[in-house]
Amino acid sequence: MQTLNAEPEPASRPVILVLVDYYLPGFRSGGPVRSVSNLVEQLGDGIAFYIITRDKDWRSHERYNNITDHWNRVGKAEVLYLPAVSLSAVLHAFREIKPHIILLNSFFSRFSVATLMLRRLGWLSDVPVLLAPRGELANGALGLKSIKKRAYCTLAKFLRLYSGVTWLATSATEEADIRRLARGSGAIMLAPNISSRFVPGEPAPRTKVPGALRIVWMGRVSPVKNLRFALEQLNSAEGDISFDIYGEIDTVAYWKECLEVMGKFPANIRVEYKGVLPHERVVETLGQYHLFYLPSTGENFGHAIFEAFNAGTPVLISDSTPWRDLSKHSAGWDLPLQSPTQWQACLRELVELDQSGFDLLSKGARKVALSKSSEDAHVLLRSQFLRLLSKEKNEGCDVFGGGS
C-alpha cells in the first residue's frame, strides 16, 4: 500500500474526512460540489478538511490535469483523487489521517456505502459519522430509479448500515424526509447549506423593453429539474423571447422529449442549448438575462438560484425549494407546479415588463443574495461539528439546535 503523505495536524485543530463523489476542479455534477467547497472555504481556517473523491468529473472519462496520486492541496483542503471507489483506500486514509469526524455527502454513493460497511464491520473505531443525503431522500428524487433506490434502502435497514450515524439535514423539509426513512436510527443535526459569498458591486446593466425577454435555464437536463414543464408553459407566450439552456444532459430520453416541445415553438421563441458552464462563469453569465427559470420538482438548496440572485437576476421557480415568498421581496416568484396557468400568466407579465419594473426586481434579487450570504450558517455548522465531537446531545432530543 502506498503512503498517502498526509501531514499531521495540530492537536487543537479538528480533522474532518469528507467523502464526496465529485469535487473541484469538477463542476458538472452540480450542488454537492458547491456545498462541500463552500463549507471548506468558510470553515477551512479552523478545521482541517481531507477530501476523498473521484479523479474525474461527472460523466467524464478524462482524469483531471495536474493532480497526483497523493494528497493535493485544493483551496483550504487536502484532496485525494481516486480512479474508483476502494474500501482499502478509504480505510488506509482513515488510519493515516485519524479524523475526528467522517462526513458523507450522499446516501446512495458508493463512497458512502463503502464507509458505512467499514463502520459496520468495526474497522472505523468509534469516530462519529455524519451523513448528508443532499436532497436524495425527497419524494421527487426517490421517484427516479425508484426500484433500485428503494431496494437499497431496504437492504441498508436490514444491515443496519446507518444505525447510530448522525444525519445532516439542511432544512426542516429534509429533516422530515430523513425521519421518514430512518425512523429513529441515529440523531439528526439541523444546519442550513452554506451559500457562496456575496459578489460586491453593481451587476451589469441590462436593457429591458416591453415585448422582449431573455430567459436562462441552468441545471441538469433530467425529470427532477423539469425542463419539459418549463418549455410547455413558454409555448404560448407572445413577444420576442430567447431561452438559453445550460447544463449537462443527464437523461437522453428526457432531452428528446424536450426537443419535441421545442420543435413546436412559434418563430418568436428561440431556444438554444449552450452546454455546461464552469462555476467561475456562472454569475457573469446569469447577469446577461432578465429571468432565471427553473421549475424543478425539488431542490435541497439550489446553488444556481442563489447565484441568480447574486447576479441581480429575478427568478421564476417552483415552491418546492427552500426559496419561498420571493414576490414579497420583489425578487421573483415561487409557484406551485400544480397550477400551470399561474406560470403562463407570470411569463406574460415578464415579457411586458419595462425597465423600471425589471430594475426593481433586480435590486430585490440582490437583497436576497446579500441577506442569505450574511447569515451565520457557517458559524452554526461549525458549532454543530464541535458539539458532535464533544457528544453534547440533549438527552431525549435528537436534533442538535432544532428541538425535539
Side-chain angles (χ1 to χ4, degrees):
M1 177 72 67
Q2 67 179 7
T3 302
L4 300 184
N5 299 333
E7 294 294 330
E9 288 293 331
S12 60
R13 197 171 183 225
V15 177
I16 297 182
L17 176 61
V18 181
L19 291 101
V20 61
D21 276 317
Y22 305 98
Y23 192 62
L24 304 177
F27 57 88
R28 294 176 180 272
S29 63
V33 174
R34 297 266 53 88
S35 295
V36 175
S37 60
N38 290 343
L39 171 70
V40 171
E41 171 64 23
Q42 297 276 9
L43 300 182
D45 293 327
I47 295 175
F49 287 99
Y50 288 82
I51 298 173
I52 299 179
T53 188
R54 300 175 188 271
D55 64 357
K56 54 186 68 68
D57 205 354
W58 183 60
R59 293 283 177 91
S60 173
H61 300 290
E62 299 296 325
R63 178 179 164 92
Y64 295 128
N65 294 323
N66 303 318
I67 62 171
T68 72
D69 293 330
H70 306 293
W71 292 99
N72 301 261
R73 188 68 178 178
V74 180
K76 297 179 181 180
E78 297 290 339
V79 183
L80 179 64
Y81 296 98
L82 299 178
V85 177
S86 165
L87 280 171
S88 60
V90 172
L91 182 59
H92 187 64
F94 169 79
R95 289 173 173 171
E96 183 185 30
I97 296 166
K98 298 179 176 60
H100 300 104
I101 295 174
I102 298 174
L103 173 59
L104 306 177
N105 288 274
S106 167
F107 181 71
F108 297 107
S109 165
R110 291 183 181 180
F111 278 118
S112 298
V113 175
T115 305
L116 293 174
M117 285 297 295
L118 289 170
R119 174 180 176 273
R120 189 75 179 90
L121 293 169
W123 292 349
L124 299 184
S125 64
D126 58 351
V127 173
V129 173
L130 187 58
L131 177 54
R134 304 294 181 195
E136 292 175 332
L137 303 183
N139 285 327
L142 285 175
L144 301 175
K145 301 180 181 178
S146 59
I147 296 177
K148 184 178 180 180
K149 288 180 178 179
R150 295 189 186 280
Y152 172 70
C153 289
T154 301
L155 179 62
K157 287 180 182 179
F158 177 75
L159 297 176
R160 300 181 65 223
L161 287 187
Y162 48 80
S163 177
V165 304
T166 299
W167 298 80
L168 174 58
T170 57
S171 68
T173 299
E174 186 166 51
E175 179 192 337
D177 294 335
I178 293 170
R179 288 188 184 281
R180 186 174 60 248
L181 174 79
R183 298 188 184 279
S185 297
I188 302 176
M189 190 172 85
L190 184 60
N193 256 312
I194 298 175
S195 67
S196 301
R197 296 187 184 275
F198 179 73
V199 177
E202 292 297 320
R206 280 153 281 184
T207 300
K208 178 65 178 75
V209 296
L213 185 65
R214 295 198 305 273
I215 305 173
V216 60
W217 188 95
M218 194 172 290
R220 287 180 292 111
V221 178
S222 69
V224 73
K225 298 296 183 179
N226 223 7
L227 175 60
R228 179 175 176 174
F229 177 92
L231 293 165
E232 289 172 341
Q233 309 323 307
L234 191 62
N235 190 28
S236 60
E238 298 179 352
D240 182 17
I241 300 171
S242 66
F243 184 23
D244 290 342
I245 300 168
Y246 292 89
E248 190 79 29
I249 297 177
D250 186 3
T251 309
V252 174
Y254 183 75
W255 175 239
K256 290 180 179 178
E257 294 177 12
C258 295
L259 289 174
E260 290 181 8
V261 178
M262 296 179 210
K264 300 175 183 177
F265 276 178
N268 66 297
I269 303 175
R270 301 175 305 281
V271 183
E272 186 174 355
Y273 174 65
K274 297 275 194 173
V276 184
L277 267 183
H279 181 257
E280 60 269 18
R281 291 181 52 200
V282 167
V283 175
E284 176 189 0
T285 300
L286 291 174
Q288 300 170 11
Y289 296 88
H290 301 126
L291 177 70
F292 176 86
Y293 186 25
L294 188 72
S296 59
T297 60
E299 296 287 340
N300 184 47
F301 180 73
H303 289 280
I305 298 171
F306 174 81
E307 300 297 13
F309 292 135
N310 232 343
T313 303
V315 308
L316 176 55
I317 59 177
S318 75
D319 60 0
S320 300
T321 85
W323 306 95
R324 301 300 304 276
D325 300 321
L326 297 179
S327 60
K328 294 180 180 179
H329 301 283
S330 298
W333 298 263
D334 47 287
L335 302 178
L337 294 171
Q338 298 77 18
S339 181
T341 55
Q342 290 189 48
W343 293 78
Q344 295 161 16
C346 187
L347 287 165
R348 288 195 297 269
E349 179 182 338
L350 283 160
V351 170
E352 295 305 321
L353 195 69
D354 61 12
Q355 187 69 55
S356 61
F358 173 77
D359 290 343
L360 179 65
L361 288 169
S362 181
K363 290 177 181 177
R366 288 283 285 172
K367 288 180 180 178
V368 169
L370 177 59
S371 174
K372 181 63 180 178
S373 186
S374 300
E375 288 182 358
D376 291 330
H378 62 291
V379 176
L380 173 60
L381 192 52
R382 184 179 186 279
S383 70
Q384 300 287 40
F385 283 148
L386 296 178
R387 291 184 70 182
L388 182 60
L389 283 172
S390 62
K391 298 183 180 180
E392 292 178 357
K393 301 180 182 178
N394 295 325
E395 188 173 354
C397 168
D398 66 348
V399 182
F400 299 149
S404 58

